[in-house]
Amino acid sequence: MKTSELIKKVRKIEIKTHGLSSNIFAGQYHSAFKGRGMAFSEVREYQYGDDVRDIDWNVTARFHRPYVKVFEEERELTVMLLIDVSGSGHFGTQRQTKNDMLTEIAATLAFSAIENNDKIGVVFFSDKIEKYIPPKKGRKHILYIIREMLDFHPESQRTDVAQAVEFLTSVMKRRCTAFLMSDFYTQRDFLHPLTICNRKHDVVAIQVVDKRDKELPDVGLLRVQDAETGHEQYIDTSSSRVRDAYQRHWQKRQGLLKDTFVKSSVDFVSISTADDYVKNLMALFKRRS
């Protein structure tokens, strides 16, 4: 992509997503993700109703009466965006490709984080860790992230979600809020590494899909190619049996995916490229508030 074209795209996304994060998400993001980290503040004498688990036994022994630890919410969060950059993201039959929507959602979350004075970092992943951008603050940092999202060329076209969450668990020493963003066409099961990761961090999964991921149109003989493996084949979409089998496969796959998120206690939202992602994100934030 030419530099001038890239700058225009970055500016366009900045204007749209910064406005959303400033106006529509004001307060929603903060209430949804605040209080995930608690920092020790002080001790005070025990009062009726205090949780006995907060008693500071060392201070209590010193003064011969019960004292409790007081904690405050850590106002500053670290937010990590784990973004799938594999080949299937180039697909899109509605208003935009899955990659385009992922970029807008990620930029909106990034600006929301900055509005809340949080640090923001990024992991680009395929079936390997393609790039790691350590968390920082500031508009300049966000514009760099958006520029990378728009013009990044991965080495691999395949997907391995497990690889991404394992990397996050190892690289981030302190607790963070992580948005795992993908269509989840992944090579292997990721329940175990995701469960471990969500115990250490606060993970939220955002799936971006296209209408044609779910159902086939009736347009006769169709040549299709797997964007991640390169495999090509012809499908007779005029056959209702073929279309029904395709839809059942999608439903089974979604059922297994949702089961993974339920078992790992990860909040999950699925957004179509034809949807208004703002409404979906608002619903997600409201569920967590």
Side-chain angles (χ1 to χ4, degrees), residues 1 5-22 81 96-112 139 142-151 277:
M1 193 184 296
E5 188 184 339
L6 182 60
I7 290 169
K8 278 183 185 176
K9 282 199 168 189
V10 171
R11 184 66 183 143
K12 188 177 177 182
I13 288 176
E14 181 193 9
I15 290 168
K16 180 177 181 179
T17 58
H18 194 192
L20 288 172
S21 62
S22 299
L81 305 177
Q96 55 190 158
T97 67
K98 290 186 273 189
N99 276 351
D100 289 340
M101 180 166 272
L102 273 176
T103 299
E104 283 197 20
I105 293 171
T108 303
L109 292 170
F111 278 116
S112 297
R139 176 178 171 272
I142 289 182
L143 294 181
Y144 167 64
I145 289 171
I146 295 172
R147 200 162 57 243
E148 285 294 296
M149 286 191 286
L150 286 171
D151 203 36
Y277 68 83

mmCIF file of all heavy atoms in Angstrom, residues 1 5-22 81 96-112 139 142-151 277:
data_model
loop_
_atom_site.group_PDB
_atom_site.id
_atom_site.type_symbol
_atom_site.label_atom_id
_atom_site.label_comp_id
_atom_site.label_asym_id
_atom_site.label_seq_id
_atom_site.Cartn_x
_atom_site.Cartn_y
_atom_site.Cartn_z
ATOM 1 N N MET A 1 0.845 -1.195 0.000
ATOM 2 C CA MET A 1 0.000 0.000 0.000
ATOM 3 C C MET A 1 0.882 1.247 0.000
ATOM 4 O O MET A 1 1.839 1.331 0.768
ATOM 5 C CB MET A 1 -0.906 0.007 1.247
ATOM 6 C CG MET A 1 -2.025 1.034 1.192
ATOM 7 S SD MET A 1 -3.001 1.091 2.732
ATOM 8 C CE MET A 1 -3.720 -0.538 2.764
ATOM 9 N N GLU A 5 -1.794 6.631 0.495
ATOM 10 C CA GLU A 5 -3.058 5.884 0.637
ATOM 11 C C GLU A 5 -3.202 5.363 2.068
ATOM 12 O O GLU A 5 -4.286 5.393 2.648
ATOM 13 C CB GLU A 5 -3.052 4.723 -0.349
ATOM 14 C CG GLU A 5 -4.375 3.975 -0.445
ATOM 15 C CD GLU A 5 -4.287 2.765 -1.364
ATOM 16 O OE1 GLU A 5 -3.364 2.723 -2.209
ATOM 17 O OE2 GLU A 5 -5.139 1.880 -1.232
ATOM 18 N N LEU A 6 -2.096 4.894 2.636
ATOM 19 C CA LEU A 6 -2.090 4.380 4.003
ATOM 20 C C LEU A 6 -2.443 5.481 4.997
ATOM 21 O O LEU A 6 -3.252 5.274 5.914
ATOM 22 C CB LEU A 6 -0.719 3.779 4.325
ATOM 23 C CG LEU A 6 -0.548 3.134 5.710
ATOM 24 C CD1 LEU A 6 -1.524 1.996 5.904
ATOM 25 C CD2 LEU A 6 0.891 2.641 5.878
ATOM 26 N N ILE A 7 -1.840 6.656 4.825
ATOM 27 C CA ILE A 7 -2.117 7.793 5.723
ATOM 28 C C ILE A 7 -3.593 8.167 5.684
ATOM 29 O O ILE A 7 -4.205 8.435 6.715
ATOM 30 C CB ILE A 7 -1.229 9.005 5.345
ATOM 31 C CG1 ILE A 7 0.236 8.712 5.690
ATOM 32 C CG2 ILE A 7 -1.696 10.267 6.075
ATOM 33 C CD1 ILE A 7 1.223 9.712 5.135
ATOM 34 N N LYS A 8 -4.184 8.175 4.464
ATOM 35 C CA LYS A 8 -5.616 8.476 4.322
ATOM 36 C C LYS A 8 -6.476 7.469 5.069
ATOM 37 O O LYS A 8 -7.434 7.821 5.751
ATOM 38 C CB LYS A 8 -6.014 8.470 2.839
ATOM 39 C CG LYS A 8 -5.698 9.759 2.106
ATOM 40 C CD LYS A 8 -6.207 9.675 0.678
ATOM 41 C CE LYS A 8 -5.790 10.914 -0.120
ATOM 42 N NZ LYS A 8 -6.204 10.796 -1.539
ATOM 43 N N LYS A 9 -6.129 6.178 4.929
ATOM 44 C CA LYS A 9 -6.895 5.123 5.602
ATOM 45 C C LYS A 9 -6.775 5.232 7.115
ATOM 46 O O LYS A 9 -7.745 5.056 7.852
ATOM 47 C CB LYS A 9 -6.422 3.741 5.134
ATOM 48 C CG LYS A 9 -6.963 3.347 3.778
ATOM 49 C CD LYS A 9 -6.855 1.848 3.597
ATOM 50 C CE LYS A 9 -7.656 1.388 2.397
ATOM 51 N NZ LYS A 9 -7.752 -0.075 2.306
ATOM 52 N N VAL A 10 -5.555 5.491 7.593
ATOM 53 C CA VAL A 10 -5.325 5.650 9.034
ATOM 54 C C VAL A 10 -6.160 6.815 9.572
ATOM 55 O O VAL A 10 -6.820 6.696 10.608
ATOM 56 C CB VAL A 10 -3.825 5.888 9.339
ATOM 57 C CG1 VAL A 10 -3.636 6.283 10.805
ATOM 58 C CG2 VAL A 10 -3.011 4.643 9.039
ATOM 59 N N ARG A 11 -6.142 7.920 8.846
ATOM 60 C CA ARG A 11 -6.891 9.111 9.267
ATOM 61 C C ARG A 11 -8.390 8.847 9.297
ATOM 62 O O ARG A 11 -9.081 9.265 10.227
ATOM 63 C CB ARG A 11 -6.565 10.272 8.306
ATOM 64 C CG ARG A 11 -7.204 11.606 8.683
ATOM 65 C CD ARG A 11 -6.655 12.136 9.977
ATOM 66 N NE ARG A 11 -7.307 13.360 10.379
ATOM 67 C CZ ARG A 11 -7.596 13.696 11.616
ATOM 68 N NH1 ARG A 11 -7.293 12.889 12.615
ATOM 69 N NH2 ARG A 11 -8.165 14.834 11.901
ATOM 70 N N LYS A 12 -8.880 8.146 8.284
ATOM 71 C CA LYS A 12 -10.309 7.826 8.202
ATOM 72 C C LYS A 12 -10.749 6.969 9.389
ATOM 73 O O LYS A 12 -11.779 7.226 10.018
ATOM 74 C CB LYS A 12 -10.595 7.089 6.885
ATOM 75 C CG LYS A 12 -12.067 6.867 6.594
ATOM 76 C CD LYS A 12 -12.240 6.194 5.235
ATOM 77 C CE LYS A 12 -13.716 5.904 4.965
ATOM 78 N NZ LYS A 12 -13.897 5.201 3.664
ATOM 79 N N ILE A 13 -9.948 5.955 9.699
ATOM 80 C CA ILE A 13 -10.263 5.076 10.834
ATOM 81 C C ILE A 13 -10.145 5.836 12.152
ATOM 82 O O ILE A 13 -10.950 5.668 13.064
ATOM 83 C CB ILE A 13 -9.352 3.826 10.824
ATOM 84 C CG1 ILE A 13 -9.778 2.902 9.680
ATOM 85 C CG2 ILE A 13 -9.423 3.083 12.148
ATOM 86 C CD1 ILE A 13 -8.918 1.686 9.506
ATOM 87 N N GLU A 14 -9.139 6.707 12.248
ATOM 88 C CA GLU A 14 -8.973 7.498 13.480
ATOM 89 C C GLU A 14 -10.206 8.368 13.731
ATOM 90 O O GLU A 14 -10.736 8.409 14.851
ATOM 91 C CB GLU A 14 -7.738 8.382 13.390
ATOM 92 C CG GLU A 14 -7.520 9.191 14.671
ATOM 93 C CD GLU A 14 -6.505 10.309 14.534
ATOM 94 O OE1 GLU A 14 -6.077 10.597 13.411
ATOM 95 O OE2 GLU A 14 -6.162 10.913 15.570
ATOM 96 N N ILE A 15 -10.670 9.068 12.697
ATOM 97 C CA ILE A 15 -11.825 9.966 12.855
ATOM 98 C C ILE A 15 -13.060 9.186 13.299
ATOM 99 O O ILE A 15 -13.759 9.587 14.226
ATOM 100 C CB ILE A 15 -12.101 10.717 11.521
ATOM 101 C CG1 ILE A 15 -10.983 11.737 11.252
ATOM 102 C CG2 ILE A 15 -13.455 11.421 11.572
ATOM 103 C CD1 ILE A 15 -11.007 12.311 9.847
ATOM 104 N N LYS A 16 -13.302 8.040 12.644
ATOM 105 C CA LYS A 16 -14.501 7.252 12.967
ATOM 106 C C LYS A 16 -14.416 6.619 14.355
ATOM 107 O O LYS A 16 -15.318 6.765 15.174
ATOM 108 C CB LYS A 16 -14.713 6.163 11.913
ATOM 109 C CG LYS A 16 -15.948 5.308 12.186
ATOM 110 C CD LYS A 16 -16.178 4.282 11.093
ATOM 111 C CE LYS A 16 -17.426 3.459 11.389
ATOM 112 N NZ LYS A 16 -17.688 2.454 10.327
ATOM 113 N N THR A 17 -13.310 5.920 14.621
ATOM 114 C CA THR A 17 -13.225 5.142 15.855
ATOM 115 C C THR A 17 -12.944 6.001 17.080
ATOM 116 O O THR A 17 -13.412 5.694 18.176
ATOM 117 C CB THR A 17 -12.156 4.037 15.724
ATOM 118 O OG1 THR A 17 -10.900 4.631 15.415
ATOM 119 C CG2 THR A 17 -12.531 3.068 14.634
ATOM 120 N N HIS A 18 -12.190 7.084 16.913
ATOM 121 C CA HIS A 18 -11.939 7.973 18.048
ATOM 122 C C HIS A 18 -13.239 8.641 18.483
ATOM 123 O O HIS A 18 -13.509 8.798 19.677
ATOM 124 C CB HIS A 18 -10.886 9.023 17.682
ATOM 125 C CG HIS A 18 -10.332 9.741 18.868
ATOM 126 N ND1 HIS A 18 -9.561 10.878 18.777
ATOM 127 C CD2 HIS A 18 -10.448 9.485 20.202
ATOM 128 C CE1 HIS A 18 -9.219 11.280 19.988
ATOM 129 N NE2 HIS A 18 -9.751 10.453 20.867
ATOM 130 N N GLY A 19 -14.053 9.014 17.502
ATOM 131 C CA GLY A 19 -15.357 9.599 17.823
ATOM 132 C C GLY A 19 -16.251 8.629 18.572
ATOM 133 O O GLY A 19 -16.925 9.006 19.541
ATOM 134 N N LEU A 20 -16.228 7.378 18.158
ATOM 135 C CA LEU A 20 -17.036 6.356 18.834
ATOM 136 C C LEU A 20 -16.589 6.158 20.273
ATOM 137 O O LEU A 20 -17.392 6.118 21.198
ATOM 138 C CB LEU A 20 -16.934 5.018 18.086
ATOM 139 C CG LEU A 20 -17.642 4.898 16.740
ATOM 140 C CD1 LEU A 20 -17.265 3.588 16.065
ATOM 141 C CD2 LEU A 20 -19.144 4.978 16.923
ATOM 142 N N SER A 21 -15.275 6.036 20.451
ATOM 143 C CA SER A 21 -14.751 5.771 21.794
ATOM 144 C C SER A 21 -14.970 6.958 22.724
ATOM 145 O O SER A 21 -15.195 6.800 23.923
ATOM 146 C CB SER A 21 -13.261 5.404 21.727
ATOM 147 O OG SER A 21 -12.511 6.471 21.213
ATOM 148 N N SER A 22 -14.913 8.184 22.171
ATOM 149 C CA SER A 22 -15.082 9.385 23.000
ATOM 150 C C SER A 22 -16.542 9.635 23.362
ATOM 151 O O SER A 22 -16.862 9.996 24.498
ATOM 152 C CB SER A 22 -14.543 10.614 22.263
ATOM 153 O OG SER A 22 -13.180 10.468 21.986
ATOM 154 N N LEU A 81 -4.407 -6.336 22.715
ATOM 155 C CA LEU A 81 -5.228 -6.772 21.589
ATOM 156 C C LEU A 81 -4.520 -7.938 20.911
ATOM 157 O O LEU A 81 -3.401 -7.775 20.414
ATOM 158 C CB LEU A 81 -5.433 -5.639 20.585
ATOM 159 C CG LEU A 81 -6.028 -4.328 21.127
ATOM 160 C CD1 LEU A 81 -6.092 -3.294 20.011
ATOM 161 C CD2 LEU A 81 -7.413 -4.557 21.715
ATOM 162 N N GLN A 96 -17.841 -5.110 4.297
ATOM 163 C CA GLN A 96 -16.377 -5.053 4.418
ATOM 164 C C GLN A 96 -15.824 -6.443 4.676
ATOM 165 O O GLN A 96 -16.574 -7.380 4.972
ATOM 166 C CB GLN A 96 -15.989 -4.094 5.552
ATOM 167 C CG GLN A 96 -16.609 -4.408 6.884
ATOM 168 C CD GLN A 96 -16.408 -3.330 7.929
ATOM 169 O OE1 GLN A 96 -17.147 -3.256 8.877
ATOM 170 N NE2 GLN A 96 -15.416 -2.478 7.778
ATOM 171 N N THR A 97 -14.510 -6.585 4.581
ATOM 172 C CA THR A 97 -13.881 -7.869 4.909
ATOM 173 C C THR A 97 -13.815 -8.025 6.429
ATOM 174 O O THR A 97 -13.978 -7.066 7.184
ATOM 175 C CB THR A 97 -12.456 -7.960 4.340
ATOM 176 O OG1 THR A 97 -11.629 -7.004 5.014
ATOM 177 C CG2 THR A 97 -12.431 -7.721 2.845
ATOM 178 N N LYS A 98 -13.516 -9.248 6.849
ATOM 179 C CA LYS A 98 -13.368 -9.499 8.295
ATOM 180 C C LYS A 98 -12.186 -8.701 8.858
ATOM 181 O O LYS A 98 -12.263 -8.163 9.961
ATOM 182 C CB LYS A 98 -13.200 -10.999 8.550
ATOM 183 C CG LYS A 98 -14.469 -11.795 8.302
ATOM 184 C CD LYS A 98 -14.330 -13.243 8.701
ATOM 185 C CE LYS A 98 -13.762 -14.082 7.605
ATOM 186 N NZ LYS A 98 -13.826 -15.543 7.895
ATOM 187 N N ASN A 99 -11.107 -8.609 8.076
ATOM 188 C CA ASN A 99 -9.949 -7.820 8.515
ATOM 189 C C ASN A 99 -10.296 -6.349 8.709
ATOM 190 O O ASN A 99 -9.837 -5.706 9.663
ATOM 191 C CB ASN A 99 -8.806 -7.934 7.495
ATOM 192 C CG ASN A 99 -7.954 -9.168 7.716
ATOM 193 O OD1 ASN A 99 -8.096 -9.852 8.716
ATOM 194 N ND2 ASN A 99 -7.089 -9.465 6.765
ATOM 195 N N ASP A 100 -11.087 -5.794 7.787
ATOM 196 C CA ASP A 100 -11.485 -4.394 7.892
ATOM 197 C C ASP A 100 -12.256 -4.136 9.181
ATOM 198 O O ASP A 100 -12.019 -3.153 9.885
ATOM 199 C CB ASP A 100 -12.356 -3.981 6.696
ATOM 200 C CG ASP A 100 -11.559 -3.881 5.404
ATOM 201 O OD1 ASP A 100 -10.327 -3.756 5.484
ATOM 202 O OD2 ASP A 100 -12.178 -3.947 4.325
ATOM 203 N N MET A 101 -13.183 -5.064 9.487
ATOM 204 C CA MET A 101 -13.978 -4.889 10.702
ATOM 205 C C MET A 101 -13.120 -5.082 11.954
ATOM 206 O O MET A 101 -13.257 -4.334 12.928
ATOM 207 C CB MET A 101 -15.168 -5.839 10.722
ATOM 208 C CG MET A 101 -16.022 -5.689 11.980
ATOM 209 S SD MET A 101 -17.632 -6.495 11.889
ATOM 210 C CE MET A 101 -18.609 -5.180 11.163
ATOM 211 N N LEU A 102 -12.235 -6.067 11.918
ATOM 212 C CA LEU A 102 -11.324 -6.286 13.053
ATOM 213 C C LEU A 102 -10.496 -5.030 13.335
ATOM 214 O O LEU A 102 -10.293 -4.651 14.489
ATOM 215 C CB LEU A 102 -10.385 -7.458 12.768
ATOM 216 C CG LEU A 102 -10.849 -8.863 13.119
ATOM 217 C CD1 LEU A 102 -9.835 -9.892 12.671
ATOM 218 C CD2 LEU A 102 -11.116 -9.009 14.606
ATOM 219 N N THR A 103 -10.029 -4.393 12.261
ATOM 220 C CA THR A 103 -9.217 -3.183 12.408
ATOM 221 C C THR A 103 -10.022 -2.070 13.072
ATOM 222 O O THR A 103 -9.524 -1.389 13.984
ATOM 223 C CB THR A 103 -8.692 -2.709 11.035
ATOM 224 O OG1 THR A 103 -7.871 -3.736 10.476
ATOM 225 C CG2 THR A 103 -7.878 -1.436 11.163
ATOM 226 N N GLU A 104 -11.265 -1.881 12.642
ATOM 227 C CA GLU A 104 -12.112 -0.832 13.227
ATOM 228 C C GLU A 104 -12.409 -1.114 14.696
ATOM 229 O O GLU A 104 -12.351 -0.215 15.538
ATOM 230 C CB GLU A 104 -13.421 -0.703 12.443
ATOM 231 C CG GLU A 104 -13.266 0.041 11.134
ATOM 232 C CD GLU A 104 -14.598 0.511 10.575
ATOM 233 O OE1 GLU A 104 -15.582 0.609 11.332
ATOM 234 O OE2 GLU A 104 -14.663 0.782 9.361
ATOM 235 N N ILE A 105 -12.750 -2.366 15.002
ATOM 236 C CA ILE A 105 -13.051 -2.729 16.395
ATOM 237 C C ILE A 105 -11.814 -2.530 17.273
ATOM 238 O O ILE A 105 -11.891 -1.959 18.367
ATOM 239 C CB ILE A 105 -13.555 -4.184 16.494
ATOM 240 C CG1 ILE A 105 -14.922 -4.321 15.808
ATOM 241 C CG2 ILE A 105 -13.655 -4.625 17.956
ATOM 242 C CD1 ILE A 105 -15.396 -5.755 15.666
ATOM 243 N N ALA A 106 -10.667 -2.997 16.781
ATOM 244 C CA ALA A 106 -9.419 -2.857 17.544
ATOM 245 C C ALA A 106 -9.070 -1.395 17.779
ATOM 246 O O ALA A 106 -8.660 -1.006 18.883
ATOM 247 C CB ALA A 106 -8.277 -3.563 16.802
ATOM 248 N N ALA A 107 -9.248 -0.557 16.755
ATOM 249 C CA ALA A 107 -8.956 0.874 16.895
ATOM 250 C C ALA A 107 -9.905 1.527 17.898
ATOM 251 O O ALA A 107 -9.484 2.366 18.712
ATOM 252 C CB ALA A 107 -9.070 1.560 15.537
ATOM 253 N N THR A 108 -11.178 1.138 17.871
ATOM 254 C CA THR A 108 -12.155 1.681 18.818
ATOM 255 C C THR A 108 -11.781 1.307 20.252
ATOM 256 O O THR A 108 -11.825 2.147 21.162
ATOM 257 C CB THR A 108 -13.574 1.158 18.490
ATOM 258 O OG1 THR A 108 -13.912 1.503 17.152
ATOM 259 C CG2 THR A 108 -14.614 1.747 19.432
ATOM 260 N N LEU A 109 -11.399 0.058 20.457
ATOM 261 C CA LEU A 109 -10.983 -0.393 21.794
ATOM 262 C C LEU A 109 -9.704 0.318 22.235
ATOM 263 O O LEU A 109 -9.558 0.683 23.406
ATOM 264 C CB LEU A 109 -10.776 -1.910 21.795
ATOM 265 C CG LEU A 109 -12.029 -2.773 21.610
ATOM 266 C CD1 LEU A 109 -11.649 -4.224 21.385
ATOM 267 C CD2 LEU A 109 -12.953 -2.640 22.822
ATOM 268 N N ALA A 110 -8.790 0.526 21.283
ATOM 269 C CA ALA A 110 -7.529 1.201 21.607
ATOM 270 C C ALA A 110 -7.775 2.639 22.051
ATOM 271 O O ALA A 110 -7.214 3.095 23.054
ATOM 272 C CB ALA A 110 -6.596 1.168 20.400
ATOM 273 N N PHE A 111 -8.616 3.364 21.326
ATOM 274 C CA PHE A 111 -8.928 4.742 21.711
ATOM 275 C C PHE A 111 -9.694 4.787 23.039
ATOM 276 O O PHE A 111 -9.493 5.701 23.842
ATOM 277 C CB PHE A 111 -9.715 5.449 20.611
ATOM 278 C CG PHE A 111 -8.858 6.002 19.506
ATOM 279 C CD1 PHE A 111 -8.958 5.529 18.210
ATOM 280 C CD2 PHE A 111 -7.921 7.003 19.772
ATOM 281 C CE1 PHE A 111 -8.153 6.034 17.196
ATOM 282 C CE2 PHE A 111 -7.109 7.519 18.761
ATOM 283 C CZ PHE A 111 -7.231 7.032 17.477
ATOM 284 N N SER A 112 -10.561 3.795 23.272
ATOM 285 C CA SER A 112 -11.276 3.717 24.552
ATOM 286 C C SER A 112 -10.298 3.526 25.699
ATOM 287 O O SER A 112 -10.444 4.114 26.773
ATOM 288 C CB SER A 112 -12.288 2.560 24.526
ATOM 289 O OG SER A 112 -13.276 2.763 23.549
ATOM 290 N N ARG A 139 -1.677 8.818 21.759
ATOM 291 C CA ARG A 139 -2.281 8.820 20.424
ATOM 292 C C ARG A 139 -1.290 8.355 19.365
ATOM 293 O O ARG A 139 -1.642 7.619 18.444
ATOM 294 C CB ARG A 139 -2.792 10.233 20.102
ATOM 295 C CG ARG A 139 -3.369 10.394 18.704
ATOM 296 C CD ARG A 139 -3.899 11.793 18.487
ATOM 297 N NE ARG A 139 -4.260 12.012 17.095
ATOM 298 C CZ ARG A 139 -3.436 12.435 16.151
ATOM 299 N NH1 ARG A 139 -2.172 12.690 16.465
ATOM 300 N NH2 ARG A 139 -3.842 12.596 14.904
ATOM 301 N N ILE A 142 -1.166 4.646 19.257
ATOM 302 C CA ILE A 142 -2.366 4.063 18.643
ATOM 303 C C ILE A 142 -2.306 4.181 17.118
ATOM 304 O O ILE A 142 -2.650 3.239 16.402
ATOM 305 C CB ILE A 142 -3.649 4.743 19.165
ATOM 306 C CG1 ILE A 142 -3.902 4.338 20.612
ATOM 307 C CG2 ILE A 142 -4.859 4.354 18.317
ATOM 308 C CD1 ILE A 142 -5.153 4.898 21.194
ATOM 309 N N LEU A 143 -1.877 5.337 16.622
ATOM 310 C CA LEU A 143 -1.797 5.524 15.173
ATOM 311 C C LEU A 143 -0.776 4.558 14.554
ATOM 312 O O LEU A 143 -0.976 4.069 13.440
ATOM 313 C CB LEU A 143 -1.433 6.973 14.841
ATOM 314 C CG LEU A 143 -2.495 8.019 15.224
ATOM 315 C CD1 LEU A 143 -2.031 9.411 14.835
ATOM 316 C CD2 LEU A 143 -3.833 7.707 14.581
ATOM 317 N N TYR A 144 0.285 4.281 15.292
ATOM 318 C CA TYR A 144 1.265 3.286 14.835
ATOM 319 C C TYR A 144 0.612 1.902 14.761
ATOM 320 O O TYR A 144 0.793 1.166 13.777
ATOM 321 C CB TYR A 144 2.465 3.256 15.786
ATOM 322 C CG TYR A 144 3.383 2.071 15.603
ATOM 323 C CD1 TYR A 144 4.086 1.888 14.410
ATOM 324 C CD2 TYR A 144 3.538 1.134 16.619
ATOM 325 C CE1 TYR A 144 4.922 0.788 14.241
ATOM 326 C CE2 TYR A 144 4.369 0.036 16.458
ATOM 327 C CZ TYR A 144 5.054 -0.133 15.270
ATOM 328 O OH TYR A 144 5.875 -1.217 15.095
ATOM 329 N N ILE A 145 -0.197 1.562 15.775
ATOM 330 C CA ILE A 145 -0.894 0.267 15.799
ATOM 331 C C ILE A 145 -1.860 0.159 14.615
ATOM 332 O O ILE A 145 -1.904 -0.861 13.917
ATOM 333 C CB ILE A 145 -1.648 0.079 17.135
ATOM 334 C CG1 ILE A 145 -0.645 -0.155 18.285
ATOM 335 C CG2 ILE A 145 -2.644 -1.084 17.054
ATOM 336 C CD1 ILE A 145 -1.269 -0.130 19.666
ATOM 337 N N ILE A 146 -2.642 1.210 14.375
ATOM 338 C CA ILE A 146 -3.606 1.203 13.261
ATOM 339 C C ILE A 146 -2.873 1.046 11.922
ATOM 340 O O ILE A 146 -3.293 0.283 11.047
ATOM 341 C CB ILE A 146 -4.456 2.493 13.258
ATOM 342 C CG1 ILE A 146 -5.342 2.558 14.510
ATOM 343 C CG2 ILE A 146 -5.334 2.560 12.006
ATOM 344 C CD1 ILE A 146 -6.071 3.885 14.686
ATOM 345 N N ARG A 147 -1.764 1.753 11.793
ATOM 346 C CA ARG A 147 -0.974 1.676 10.562
ATOM 347 C C ARG A 147 -0.478 0.247 10.337
ATOM 348 O O ARG A 147 -0.523 -0.270 9.208
ATOM 349 C CB ARG A 147 0.200 2.657 10.662
ATOM 350 C CG ARG A 147 0.818 3.042 9.333
ATOM 351 C CD ARG A 147 1.647 4.309 9.448
ATOM 352 N NE ARG A 147 2.704 4.216 10.437
ATOM 353 C CZ ARG A 147 2.782 4.974 11.535
ATOM 354 N NH1 ARG A 147 1.857 5.885 11.787
ATOM 355 N NH2 ARG A 147 3.776 4.840 12.380
ATOM 356 N N GLU A 148 -0.040 -0.398 11.403
ATOM 357 C CA GLU A 148 0.427 -1.778 11.297
ATOM 358 C C GLU A 148 -0.721 -2.720 10.924
ATOM 359 O O GLU A 148 -0.545 -3.631 10.113
ATOM 360 C CB GLU A 148 1.051 -2.222 12.629
ATOM 361 C CG GLU A 148 2.417 -1.645 12.888
ATOM 362 C CD GLU A 148 3.453 -2.160 11.890
ATOM 363 O OE1 GLU A 148 3.737 -3.362 11.873
ATOM 364 O OE2 GLU A 148 3.951 -1.341 11.097
ATOM 365 N N MET A 149 -1.887 -2.514 11.515
ATOM 366 C CA MET A 149 -3.038 -3.367 11.218
ATOM 367 C C MET A 149 -3.437 -3.270 9.746
ATOM 368 O O MET A 149 -3.840 -4.254 9.123
ATOM 369 C CB MET A 149 -4.230 -3.008 12.110
ATOM 370 C CG MET A 149 -4.086 -3.477 13.544
ATOM 371 S SD MET A 149 -5.614 -3.323 14.500
ATOM 372 C CE MET A 149 -5.679 -1.567 14.772
ATOM 373 N N LEU A 150 -3.351 -2.073 9.192
ATOM 374 C CA LEU A 150 -3.757 -1.843 7.807
ATOM 375 C C LEU A 150 -2.757 -2.400 6.797
ATOM 376 O O LEU A 150 -3.141 -2.804 5.691
ATOM 377 C CB LEU A 150 -3.936 -0.344 7.549
ATOM 378 C CG LEU A 150 -5.179 0.314 8.151
ATOM 379 C CD1 LEU A 150 -5.091 1.828 8.007
ATOM 380 C CD2 LEU A 150 -6.442 -0.213 7.465
ATOM 381 N N ASP A 151 -1.492 -2.416 7.158
ATOM 382 C CA ASP A 151 -0.450 -2.720 6.168
ATOM 383 C C ASP A 151 0.439 -3.895 6.569
ATOM 384 O O ASP A 151 1.548 -4.034 6.061
ATOM 385 C CB ASP A 151 0.407 -1.465 5.936
ATOM 386 C CG ASP A 151 1.117 -1.493 4.586
ATOM 387 O OD1 ASP A 151 0.516 -2.004 3.618
ATOM 388 O OD2 ASP A 151 2.262 -1.014 4.504
ATOM 389 N N TYR A 277 -21.171 -3.109 14.621
ATOM 390 C CA TYR A 277 -20.358 -3.636 15.729
ATOM 391 C C TYR A 277 -20.482 -2.796 17.000
ATOM 392 O O TYR A 277 -20.235 -3.290 18.107
ATOM 393 C CB TYR A 277 -18.890 -3.785 15.322
ATOM 394 C CG TYR A 277 -18.140 -2.502 15.072
ATOM 395 C CD1 TYR A 277 -17.578 -1.782 16.113
ATOM 396 C CD2 TYR A 277 -17.948 -2.018 13.781
ATOM 397 C CE1 TYR A 277 -16.863 -0.608 15.884
ATOM 398 C CE2 TYR A 277 -17.234 -0.859 13.544
ATOM 399 C CZ TYR A 277 -16.699 -0.152 14.594
ATOM 400 O OH TYR A 277 -15.997 1.007 14.375
#
